[in-house]
Amino acid sequence: MSVKVGIIGCGGIAEGKHLPALSQIEEVELVAFCDIKVKKAEKANKEYGSVNAKVFEDYNKMLNSVELDVVHVLTPNNAHAEISIAAMQAGNQVMCEKPMAKTAEEAQKMIEASKKTGKKLTIGYQNRFRKDAQYLHEVCQEGELGEIYTAKAHAIRRRAVPTWGVFLDEQAQGGGPLIDIGTHALDLTLWMMDNYKPKYVVGNAYHKLSETKNAANAWGPWDPDEFNVEDSAFGFVAMENGATIILEASWALNSLDVKEAKTTLMGTKAGADMNDGLTINGEDHGLLYDKKIQLETGGVDFYDEEGEDPALLEAQAWIDAVINDTEVVVKPEEALTVTEILEAIYQSSKTGEPVYL
C-alpha cells in the first residue's frame, strides 16, 4: 500500500526530523509540500518529493487539490490546531508536531475534529521511541518500580536559545523553553507514570537572562528586544491520586546540571533516572542497589548496534498505524494533558495562584 503524504511547514523540524524519516519508509510517497515561504517548499520537494509532487504556498489549496492520505503539520504552534482540523476535515490522517497546540482549548478542538471525522491524530513526541525510554516504559508497565508517586521532568539547557524562526515570538509559539522542550520531558514523565489526571498546578516563568546583550549561546547571541518568551520556567503538578511532578525547563540558566528530555521516577518498589544513561535503583534483602542498564549491544570491536533513530521509529509506527488501522502510540488525549499542564504553569506564573484543572 502506498501512503500519499503532504507536508505543511517545510522549515527546520521538517528538514531535520520528518522528511529524512519519511523518505526511508518504503510505503510513503511524498506528494505535496506547502510553506508560506514557498522557496522552503520547493527545496523540500527537490530533495524528497516523488515524481510529479506539487508545491503550495496556501495549505487550503493543497488540501483541496491533491489526493492525500496523511498530512504532517509542522508549522509554528499557533497554526497547529487550525491546519490539523482542516486536514482532518479534508479526509486526512494527521501527524502534528509537538506541542499539540498553543492552548488547551485548541487542542480539545483537534480531538473533537478527530472524533467527528474518524481520522487519526497523533503528536510528534519522538523521545518515546528512544531505546532508554522504551526500556524504562516496559519496566514501569511491568510494575518493577511499584507505584510511581513522585517524579521530575527535566529540560535544562545552560545556554542554548534557538535564535532562528519564531522561537522567541510568544504570539507564534505561546512560550519559550517550557512549551518547546519542557513539553518533551513532561510527556515522557506522564507516559512512564501512566497518569493523565492532574489536579492543580503551580509555576513560575522567568525573564531573567533574556535581557543579556552579546550573550554566550550555542547559536550565537540573541536579540534582547526580540526575546519576548521566558528563558526558564518551573512547575509543580499535583495529580488527583496524590502523585506529584516537578517540571523544569530552560534555554538559558546558570546551572551545570544540564539534561534535556529526561525523567526521574520514584516509586514504592524502586526508582529510575536518565541522568547518566539509564539507572534503576532500589533495595534488595536489606541492601541498596544501583542497576545501570547497558543499552548498547556491543560485544565485538567492529559491531556496536545502538538502535534506530527515534524519528524513524516514530514515523514508521505512525505509518503502520495508518496502513493497519491500529491505535497510534501517542494518543491525542495524552498530548492534551501535556498542553493543559503547560498552559496552567504559564497562567499560574501570571496570577501567582495555583490553577485547578
Side-chain angles (χ1 to χ4, degrees), residues 137-151:
H137 186 253
E138 187 173 341
V139 166
C140 293
Q141 290 288 297
E142 292 175 352
E144 186 176 327
L145 304 189
E147 176 196 352
I148 303 170
Y149 59 91
T150 189

Side-chain angles (χ1 to χ4, degrees), residues 107-316:
Q108 183 61 54
K109 289 179 180 178
M110 292 167 69
I111 291 176
E112 291 169 1
S114 175
K115 291 179 178 178
K116 187 173 182 179
T117 61
K119 297 301 175 181
K120 296 184 189 300
L121 171 64
T122 194
I123 310 302
Y125 285 116
Q126 76 276 1
N127 285 291
R128 291 193 187 190
F129 293 87
R130 294 186 339 227
K131 185 178 286 189
D132 60 344
Q134 288 282 308
Y135 182 95
L136 182 55
H137 186 253
E138 187 173 341
V139 166
C140 293
Q141 290 288 297
E142 292 175 352
E144 186 176 327
L145 304 189
E147 176 196 352
I148 303 170
Y149 59 91
T150 189
K152 296 179 181 179
H154 311 284
I156 296 294
R157 296 177 183 172
R158 184 183 182 188
R159 292 292 191 284
V161 178
T163 53
W164 63 91
V166 295
F167 278 103
L168 304 183
D169 184 345
E170 185 176 14
Q171 181 60 35
Q173 292 292 87
L178 181 65
I179 201 170
D180 177 43
I181 56 177
T183 189
H184 278 300
L186 181 58
D187 174 70
L188 276 179
T189 302
L190 295 173
W191 187 52
M192 298 301 173
M193 298 175 76
D194 192 22
N195 189 343
Y196 292 91
K197 294 183 177 180
K199 183 177 181 180
Y200 69 86
V201 174
V202 179
N204 269 317
Y206 294 102
H207 299 259
K208 298 295 185 180
L209 304 185
S210 58
E211 298 176 2
T212 306
K213 295 181 179 179
N214 300 314
N217 187 49
W219 294 289
W222 56 80
D223 184 345
D225 294 332
E226 294 181 359
F227 201 148
N228 57 36
V229 295
E230 81 279 1
D231 50 47
S232 61
F234 305 86
F236 176 85
V237 186
M239 310 301 282
E240 287 184 2
N241 70 345
T244 56
I245 299 170
I246 294 173
L247 171 59
E248 53 183 21
S250 74
W251 284 339
L253 189 70
N254 288 323
S255 172
L256 297 178
D257 189 17
V258 175
K259 43 196 168 187
E260 186 174 333
K262 294 184 178 182
T263 187
T264 299
L265 308 172
M266 289 145 279
T268 53
K269 293 182 180 179
D273 68 70
M274 296 172 162
N275 296 336
D276 179 21
L278 178 60
T279 304
I280 311 295
N281 71 82
E283 180 181 350
D284 186 26
H285 294 87
L287 296 173
L288 299 177
Y289 69 84
D290 305 328
K291 181 170 66 174
K292 186 72 173 287
I293 307 303
Q294 301 298 320
L295 296 168
E296 295 78 27
T297 304
V300 290
D301 291 339
F302 58 85
Y303 182 77
D304 186 16
E305 178 58 60
E306 295 184 355
E308 292 188 83
D309 175 22
L312 175 58
L313 294 174
E314 175 191 59
Q316 186 67 68

Side-chain angles (χ1 to χ4, degrees), residues 73-85:
V73 179
L74 315 177
T75 64
N77 301 340
N78 63 347
H80 283 185
E82 174 187 325
I83 297 175
S84 295
I85 291 169

